[in-house]
Amino acid sequence: MTTECTSIRGRSAGLLVIFVLALQIAGCGQKAEDGPILLKFPHVTAPATPKGQTADRFKQLVEERLQGRVVVEVYPSGQLMDDDDSLDALAFGEVQMIAISLSKLDRLTHKFQIFDLPFLFPDLITVERFQASADGKVLLEAMEDKGLRGLTYWHNGMKQMGAPVPLRTPADAAGLKFRIMESDVLQAQVLQIGGSPQKMALGEVYQALQTGAIDAQENTWSNMYSSKFYEVQKYMTETNHGYLGYLVTVNTSFWDSLPEDIRVELESILREVTEWGNERSETINLEDRQKIVESGISEVVTLTPDELRQWQEAMKPVWTEFEGNIGSSLISAALAARQ
Ligand code: LMR
């Protein structure tokens, strides 16, 4: 990325302007003759999480197989920037690859709202079947008009809920302030159970729980363990009510400007590490669940079938609310992946 390319960036610019400008910087990508191609890859979770491990594996394989031609710098734990900033940075070529939660793409497109519909996907196998279907693959291109391309999906896992009280039925959530990711579907989900939704970056959640600025949150076992939420949440209820996964995203013009042999090799390595990481994600989450149990600090609450049904019923109106945005045919395609 040249100075000229970065100088057009303006933090105060509106989102639309930012992404229109991003479209206009086609060709600003690094050329092979400039030396090794640098892929800066920031993300917000710890190195031990599914995303952290997969990003590190990607770096390792790229540097083994494209030695001297491509360098990958992975910045975990939000140490370079948070997710919101990473979208702008990607558009402007300040970073070259991100793996952002699908929920957080809500500000750019409603297409990924399908992944936030509560209780639509019962498990990761179903999610994977949908992502591998023609409908799932088309979604990778949902942000081409914003100058961004999805290369593949990475899993974290299914989400659970943490709170200061045992959440057995939706009535227990009434009045609780819930941290959510920046997603309107998740906002509607919390409203359906009588809670107060608070959109907040991951890096702010621990302190907000500790100080009582928020009461509750939803996340995967892996994120709740690695971000130490179990230290400040008395109860964690195993709801498996939603999916948390990522879109590995690049700036389309940068990606298309790479020498073809390098791009083909990078895409091949990505396919390999996606399979590797997605296979491990469930195990990592189960191990982290067990570590939370063993901590003795936070109690894991499991639901009876009747209690689980009450959560499903309470959240179901969210589907109708967002059907117009998402499209009933996409919801049907996701439902078809259940068999
Ligand atoms: C969150 O903000 O809770 C997640 O998006 C973090 C992540 O990347 O898994």
Side-chain angles (χ1 to χ4, degrees), residues 162 164 173-179 190 195-198 209 212-217:
L176 295 183
K177 281 180 268 168
F178 266 85
R179 179 270 171 168
V190 170
S196 162
Q198 318 276 326
L209 287 169
I214 54 167
D215 308 300
Q217 50 79 40

Side-chain angles (χ1 to χ4, degrees), residues 251-316:
N251 180 315
T252 309
S253 57
F254 165 77
W255 202 249
D256 287 343
S257 76
L258 291 173
E260 199 185 342
D261 60 329
I262 290 186
R263 192 175 64 246
V264 167
E265 183 61 27
L266 288 173
E267 287 173 357
S268 154
I269 294 170
L270 256 183
R271 278 193 294 278
E272 186 176 330
V273 300
T274 296
E275 201 174 315
W276 181 89
N278 284 355
E279 259 180 44
R280 296 167 70 84
S281 57
E282 188 150 21
T283 308
I284 295 170
N285 272 289
L286 289 176
E287 285 170 1
D288 288 346
R289 177 192 187 280
Q290 187 56 24
K291 287 177 198 159
I292 291 174
V293 170
E294 283 165 11
S295 76
I297 304 172
S298 186
E299 188 181 320
V300 172
V301 177
T302 52
L303 300 174
T304 65
D306 180 57
E307 288 166 344
L308 184 61
R309 193 185 40 75
Q310 292 186 50
W311 288 98
Q312 289 166 340
E313 278 174 11
M315 292 178 175
K316 192 67 198 279

Side-chain angles (χ1 to χ4, degrees), residues 157-231:
M158 302 306 290
K159 288 182 293 182
Q160 324 298 336
M161 288 187 192
V165 292
L167 298 177
R168 293 210 153 273
T169 69
D172 298 323
L176 295 183
K177 281 180 268 168
F178 266 85
R179 179 270 171 168
I180 52 165
M181 293 181 276
E182 294 75 2
S183 149
D184 288 349
V185 180
L186 299 180
Q187 181 170 283
Q189 170 192 284
V190 170
L191 289 173
Q192 281 300 322
I193 56 173
S196 162
Q198 318 276 326
K199 293 180 180 175
M200 189 180 281
L202 179 71
E204 295 166 22
V205 179
Y206 181 92
Q207 201 183 359
L209 287 169
Q210 196 176 36
T211 59
I214 54 167
D215 308 300
Q217 50 79 40
E218 51 146 36
N219 222 312
T220 61
W221 294 119
S222 156
N223 281 350
M224 295 199 289
Y225 178 71
S226 59
S227 294
K228 301 194 189 318
F229 296 165
Y230 67 97
E231 290 181 356

Side-chain angles (χ1 to χ4, degrees), residues 1-307:
M1 179 56 60
T2 66
T3 314
E4 191 192 333
C5 292
T6 51
S7 67
I8 57 173
R9 183 190 172 106
R11 283 275 174 205
S12 58
L15 258 186
L16 186 62
V17 176
I18 287 176
F19 284 96
V20 168
L21 285 173
L23 275 174
Q24 291 171 350
I25 59 174
C28 285
Q30 215 169 328
K31 302 283 186 297
E33 58 268 25
D34 298 337
I37 292 164
L38 176 61
L39 297 186
K40 282 194 181 180
F41 188 164
H43 67 85
V44 297
T45 63
T49 57
K51 178 162 57 180
Q53 292 193 27
T54 313
D56 288 347
R57 177 97 177 159
F58 175 69
K59 171 185 168 65
Q60 183 199 334
L61 296 190
V62 168
E63 294 185 357
E64 270 170 29
R65 295 182 196 167
L66 288 165
Q67 221 169 29
R69 300 186 74 196
V70 180
V71 171
V72 181
E73 289 178 2
V74 177
Y75 298 92
S77 307
Q79 61 183 233
L80 193 62
M81 58 186 68
D82 69 19
D83 277 326
D84 232 24
D85 284 342
S86 77
L87 275 172
D88 297 340
L90 187 67
F92 281 90
E94 293 175 0
V95 301
Q96 287 69 37
M97 187 173 276
I98 61 173
I100 188 165
S101 291
L102 293 158
S103 312
K104 294 176 185 172
L105 295 169
D106 209 18
R107 63 180 246 213
L108 298 179
T109 170
H110 292 324
K111 296 279 183 203
F112 295 105
Q113 289 184 339
I114 184 84
F115 292 107
D116 276 343
L117 288 185
F119 294 108
L120 174 58
F121 297 105
D123 48 38
L124 294 184
I125 297 167
T126 310
V127 175
E128 197 146 320
R129 223 178 279 133
F130 172 68
Q131 289 174 341
S133 72
D135 294 284
K137 285 186 186 152
V138 164
L139 289 182
L140 295 172
E141 293 158 23
M143 298 185 300
E144 288 284 336
D145 63 338
K146 311 280 187 313
L148 301 178
R149 179 174 299 159
L151 295 179
T152 188
Y153 298 104
W154 286 357
H155 297 327
N156 183 321
M158 302 306 290
K159 288 182 293 182
Q160 324 298 336
M161 288 187 192
V165 292
L167 298 177
R168 293 210 153 273
T169 69
D172 298 323
L176 295 183
K177 281 180 268 168
F178 266 85
R179 179 270 171 168
I180 52 165
M181 293 181 276
E182 294 75 2
S183 149
D184 288 349
V185 180
L186 299 180
Q187 181 170 283
Q189 170 192 284
V190 170
L191 289 173
Q192 281 300 322
I193 56 173
S196 162
Q198 318 276 326
K199 293 180 180 175
M200 189 180 281
L202 179 71
E204 295 166 22
V205 179
Y206 181 92
Q207 201 183 359
L209 287 169
Q210 196 176 36
T211 59
I214 54 167
D215 308 300
Q217 50 79 40
E218 51 146 36
N219 222 312
T220 61
W221 294 119
S222 156
N223 281 350
M224 295 199 289
Y225 178 71
S226 59
S227 294
K228 301 194 189 318
F229 296 165
Y230 67 97
E231 290 181 356
V232 284
Q233 294 264 262
K234 277 213 174 102
Y235 298 94
M236 291 190 172
T237 300
E238 190 158 32
T239 49
N240 291 309
H241 63 280
Y243 169 69
L244 199 165
Y246 309 109
L247 189 74
V248 179
T249 311
V250 293
N251 180 315
T252 309
S253 57
F254 165 77
W255 202 249
D256 287 343
S257 76
L258 291 173
E260 199 185 342
D261 60 329
I262 290 186
R263 192 175 64 246
V264 167
E265 183 61 27
L266 288 173
E267 287 173 357
S268 154
I269 294 170
L270 256 183
R271 278 193 294 278
E272 186 176 330
V273 300
T274 296
E275 201 174 315
W276 181 89
N278 284 355
E279 259 180 44
R280 296 167 70 84
S281 57
E282 188 150 21
T283 308
I284 295 170
N285 272 289
L286 289 176
E287 285 170 1
D288 288 346
R289 177 192 187 280
Q290 187 56 24
K291 287 177 198 159
I292 291 174
V293 170
E294 283 165 11
S295 76
I297 304 172
S298 186
E299 188 181 320
V300 172
V301 177
T302 52
L303 300 174
T304 65
D306 180 57
E307 288 166 344

